[in-house]
Structures are given as structure tokens and as C-alpha cells.
Amino acid sequence: LARSRTVGELLAPTSPFDKKCGRENWTVAFAPDGSYFAWSQGHRIVKLVPWSQCLSNFSLHGTKNVADSISTRLPRQSSDSGQKSKPCEHVLDCGDIVWSLAFGSSVPEKQSRCVNVEWHRFQFGQDQLLLATGLSNGRIKIWDVYTGKLLLNLMDHTEVVRDLTFAPDGSLILVSASRDKTLRVWDLKDDGNMMKVLRGHQNWVYGCAFSPDSSILCSVGASKAVFLWDMDKYSMLRKLDGHHHDVVACEFSPDGALLATASYDTRLCLWDPHTGVILMEFGHLFPPPTPIFAGGANDRWVRSVSFSQDGLHLASLADDKMVRFWRIDEEYPVQVAPLNNGLCCTFSTDGSVLAAGQDGSVYFWATPREVSSLQHLCRMAIRRVMPTSQVKDLPIPSKVVEFLCYQI
């Protein structure tokens, strides 16, 4: 089995009391344009660094190949002034333990969902990049990435904000998932107004993710919960049944045709979100535990899952101290790497690097690289605009339909 190659690390400074209380790194994130990287260093601190700066530091240590392959499109200006500015590193003290992070960027044409408010404190422009931080006390703080300034303080959750996700369409709609068993929908273009509460989870909500077209939200939680929500009507579309234990992470593929979920039942499941069918399972324990024992295999709990931009690769972290890279059409990992106490992972915007958090620090690996086949690229292009039901109605051979539906 191939070993994945480490390309760099960002180490958190340690102080004597860290040894006693631990510094869990629950969250790592890349900006949508690849300009910044952020991670929670444990306690109350979030570190924001320009990604190009990380790469140049990594390349000093003899790993130039990754740096060369990444475009580092950086912000044109700071939010306050029209002057050209060099992207800066920021250390954000969030005032409480940080559990979740999400970057959001604005598209000016996207109007606020709230139509009857004429005046806003913030006019979010094209050059704005925001960072949302979800805290232990239920608050969500919104920061300006370029200046490091606190813009908004959203208070409505009564428990830990476990995950955050921005709609990818630039509308600055933010969804938060909390241990208070709710998801909340916020409109940052309307000064962070809380628009909607999504109720349905009977227990803690662990994670949430938007589909690439922003029309569907997936939320996952305790008691095997995987829910899909219609984000135009704010109503539940369907529940997906198949996991045997708490589901802790979810992510859609770049074309929206697949949904990956990670669970304490030692499995990753790959679903067709349009039909609710499991297309593929990736096991972290062999033989897989029977449903009745799935809760007991706690040295193999899967903690995190991330989809690569190529739509072909996934990464997972499990409690067996391994990072695994999978192909969506192969049963066994294509690469592995060791990592103790890993809790979160995410691919860089271009998919060339995987970042994983551990004890306040971050480690980076070069990801499996291959040229996607023309068939796969065509499949992704079609699936970006067509749900499964429409694909099945196409007047084409059944084998092609199966391929387009990721069934072969």
C-alpha cells in the first residue's frame, strides 16, 4: 500500500498547561479561492495564514513540486481601503473554545434573502472574504479575513456550534449545526439576521454541508442521522438510512452527484443524494462490525471525510491513527499516512494537498495525483446540471446511464 508523502506542517506553540488540558484541533479550512488557510490552535485561538506563504515555507524544505502546482490567487485589496495590500497573517482570539470554521466570499449581485430591510451596517463587496468561527458557548463570530477585524457576533444557539457551512453561491447564507439539536440559517448580507431554524434532529447535530449549487443541505448527527434539506423551502427532503452509529461528517462531491458521510460505525458511505441509495461503502475495520456491535469498535471510529476537487478521491481520518486516501470506485485505500489524534481533514481548493488537524497543529500531505479520464470529466459536467431522475430519462444506453449515475 502506497505511503502518502508529507509536504509540510504548521505547529502550534505549546505552553506548560497544554499538557494537562489538551488542545484539540477540531477544524481546518481553506478559503474558496485558495488564498488563505485557517485552523483552530486549541483553546480560543484561530490562526489565519496566506496559503502562498505556507507553500513557500514548505518548499524551503525541499518539497517544491506541490508549491509549483498551486495557483495562489490572492485578494486584490483590503476591505477597508482601496490600496493594494499584501495578505497578512492574523491570530484571532475568539474568546471561547473554537469548534468550527468556514470561509465565505460574497458575490455582489446576490441579493439578501431579506427584502424589506433597506439599510445595512455592512455592504459586502466583491473583495470581501469572511471567516465564521463557531464557539463552545453557542456564539458564532464573523471576521474580516484581510484585516482580522471582528464584524458580527451571532447569538442564538444554546450549545456548542459543532459545524458551519456557507452556501457556495456567494449569497453569504451561513448554516450552523449545534449540539442544541438545531441547524440555524443566517443571512450575513442582512447583518447576520437569523432567518430560519431547521428542526428534525433528535440529538446533537455534528455536521452540515451544502451541495455545490446551494439547493440542498445535508446535516448529520447522533443516532445514525443523515438528513437532506431543501434550502429554497427550508423543509426536509429525506432521511438517509444506512449507518449504525453516530454520523459525524458529510460532504458533497464537486458535481453534487455524490454525498460522502463518515460515522463512528467505522464506515464511510457514498450515497446518491437524489435517490437515497448507498453506492459504495469504505470500511475501516475488517470484517466490518455487525450493526449491533458497530458502536463498540471505538478504535476505528471515522472522524472526518473530505472530497477532492477531482471528484475521484476522498480522504478519511479514523481513530486507528491513519489518514486514508480512497478512489470512489475502489474498495481499498490507494494511499495511507500515519496521524495520531486526528480529528479533521480537508483538501486544498485545487485538491493537491490534504490538511489534517492534530493537537493544535496541522500536517499536510501530497494527495494522489492522476489525470481524470475524459469520460469522468464529461460525467461531472453533466451531473452538475442534471439530477439522477433526469439522467435516467435520457435516451442513451443503460451502461452509460449507470456510469453517469456512478453505479459502475
Side-chain angles (χ1 to χ4, degrees), residues 2 22 53 66 92 119 123 171 214 248 266 312 318 352 388:
Q53 185 180 308
V66 181
L92 309 178
W119 178 85
Q123 295 297 326
S171 62
S214 305
V248 294
T266 76
L312 277 178
S352 64
T388 307

Side-chain angles (χ1 to χ4, degrees), residues 21 206 222 347:
C21 63
Y206 278 102
F347 280 99

Side-chain angles (χ1 to χ4, degrees), residues 28-48:
V28 288
F30 286 94
D33 65 354
S35 59
Y36 273 85
F37 175 72
W39 82 100
S40 64
Q41 285 196 342
H43 312 312
R44 319 180 325 185
I45 303 300
V46 168
K47 191 84 180 277
L48 256 174

Side-chain angles (χ1 to χ4, degrees), residues 233-258:
K233 301 180 184 143
Y234 301 115
S235 59
M236 196 182 294
L237 279 172
R238 61 168 59 89
K239 299 179 184 180
L240 304 183
D241 295 319
H243 278 297
H244 309 316
H245 198 355
D246 295 0
V247 189
V248 294
C250 58
E251 195 165 329
F252 283 88
S253 62
D255 61 1
L258 300 170

Side-chain angles (χ1 to χ4, degrees), residues 83-320:
Q83 303 304 308
K84 300 271 186 214
S85 68
K86 198 169 179 293
C88 300
E89 201 175 287
H90 296 291
V91 175
L92 309 178
D93 185 341
C94 297
D96 205 345
I97 293 169
V98 180
W99 284 80
S100 47
L101 292 174
F103 281 98
S105 53
S106 171
V107 176
E109 303 78 64
K110 274 275 175 190
Q111 290 302 306
S112 163
R113 295 269 183 112
C114 186
V115 288
N116 49 4
V117 178
E118 296 292 311
W119 178 85
H120 294 297
R121 277 165 61 207
F122 298 108
Q123 295 297 326
F124 290 117
Q126 183 82 58
D127 284 325
Q128 199 102 26
L129 184 60
L130 305 179
L131 181 72
T133 55
L135 309 181
S136 192
N137 58 11
R139 295 190 176 194
I140 300 163
K141 293 189 173 179
I142 309 295
W143 308 80
D144 183 319
V145 170
Y146 304 151
T147 63
K149 285 183 182 169
L150 178 64
L151 299 178
L152 292 166
N153 197 349
L154 311 180
M155 295 177 283
D156 222 61
H157 281 297
T158 56
E159 271 278 4
V160 170
V161 179
R162 193 64 189 78
D163 200 14
L164 293 164
T165 182
F166 276 97
D169 61 6
S171 62
L172 291 185
I173 298 292
L174 174 71
V175 175
S176 53
S178 170
R179 284 186 183 171
D180 65 15
K181 307 177 188 175
T182 67
L183 296 135
R184 288 170 196 260
V185 186
W186 313 81
D187 185 350
L188 296 199
K189 288 197 172 175
D190 185 19
D191 291 344
N193 179 36
M194 207 263 301
M195 304 157 56
K196 210 75 189 166
V197 182
L198 304 180
R199 301 182 195 277
H201 284 269
Q202 300 300 306
N203 287 290
W204 289 2
V205 192
Y206 278 102
C208 54
F210 268 101
S211 62
D213 66 0
S214 305
S215 67
I216 297 174
L217 181 85
C218 175
S219 64
V220 296
S223 309
K224 315 170 194 175
V226 183
F227 296 165
L228 295 179
W229 306 83
D230 178 330
M231 291 308 283
D232 291 324
K233 301 180 184 143
Y234 301 115
S235 59
M236 196 182 294
L237 279 172
R238 61 168 59 89
K239 299 179 184 180
L240 304 183
D241 295 319
H243 278 297
H244 309 316
H245 198 355
D246 295 0
V247 189
V248 294
C250 58
E251 195 165 329
F252 283 88
S253 62
D255 61 1
L258 300 170
L259 171 69
T261 54
S263 168
Y264 289 167
D265 69 9
T266 76
R267 294 179 305 152
L268 281 184
C269 286
L270 209 51
W271 311 75
D272 181 327
H274 303 285
T275 62
V277 172
I278 294 179
L279 300 172
M280 187 82 174
E281 290 180 23
F282 303 101
H284 294 65
L285 179 65
F286 298 99
T290 57
I292 201 158
F293 291 115
N298 56 0
D299 58 339
R300 296 286 195 284
W301 284 4
V302 190
R303 294 280 181 178
S304 185
V305 62
S306 183
F307 237 115
S308 174
Q309 208 39 48
D310 64 9
L312 277 178
H313 291 92
L314 292 158
S316 67
L317 290 189
D319 283 350
D320 62 357

